[in-house]
């Protein structure tokens, strides 16, 4: 039985296209950092495993409106001062920093992004 060439090509291309779409390196949605009620910075579709910062001022509240979890840090380069720990913020949740713990200045998305945006 012979298979037509267009059908064979289609059968080879479709799985590759679906695989490429599912392996995106960014997470759809936004991460918003607030200081009080003021929006300091909004990052759209942050790149996986890439450090993003809120700026030297820092933020006291973060809304994770993406499909991946993020880790919040106290320094601009996604590190933390000695004796202080990072904060794990799951997808679609928000966090507020206690006044005595200081402000968050950066974050890094972790895990694998969903194949489609959660928004």
């Amino acid at each position: 039985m012979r298979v037509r060439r267009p059908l064979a090509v289609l059968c080879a291309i479709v799985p590759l296209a679906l695989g490429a779409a599912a392996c995106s390196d960014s997470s759809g949605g936004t991460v918003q950092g607030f200081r009080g009620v003021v929006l300091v910075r909004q990052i759209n579709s942050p790149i996986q495993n890439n450090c993003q910062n809120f700026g030297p001022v820092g933020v006291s509240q973060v809304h994770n409106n993406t499909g991946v979890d993020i880790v919040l840090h106290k320094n601009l380069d996604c590190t933390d001062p000695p004796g202080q720990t990072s904060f794990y913020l799951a997808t679609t949740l928000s966090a507020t920093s206690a006044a005595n713990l200081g402000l968050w200045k950066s974050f890094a998305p972790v895990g694998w992004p969903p194949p489609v945006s959660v928004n």
Side-chain angles (χ1 to χ4, degrees):
M1 180 166 112
R2 288 182 48 170
V3 177
R4 294 183 179 189
R5 185 173 293 178
L7 180 59
V9 169
L10 184 62
C11 289
I13 291 176
V14 169
L16 293 173
L18 289 174
C23 295
S24 172
D25 67 347
S26 66
S27 54
T30 61
V31 175
Q32 297 174 319
F34 293 85
R35 186 150 188 197
V37 295
V38 177
L39 176 64
V40 173
R41 183 150 187 224
Q42 176 173 305
I43 294 106
N44 297 314
S45 299
I47 298 171
Q48 291 298 113
N49 300 318
N50 190 24
C51 184
Q52 306 278 328
N53 69 57
F54 292 113
V57 174
V59 296
S60 58
Q61 188 176 53
V62 176
H63 299 282
N64 180 9
N65 299 314
T66 68
V68 296
D69 300 346
I70 63 175
V71 178
L72 302 169
H73 298 280
K74 304 288 183 181
N75 291 333
L76 289 171
D77 60 352
C78 289
T79 62
D80 295 293
Q84 294 189 13
T85 59
S86 56
F87 185 83
Y88 192 90
L89 182 60
T91 181
T92 67
L93 296 180
S94 299
T96 302
S97 176
N100 61 340
L101 296 179
L103 302 173
W104 294 303
K105 295 183 179 175
S106 62
F107 74 93
V110 296
W112 294 100
V116 294
S117 173
V118 295
N119 296 334

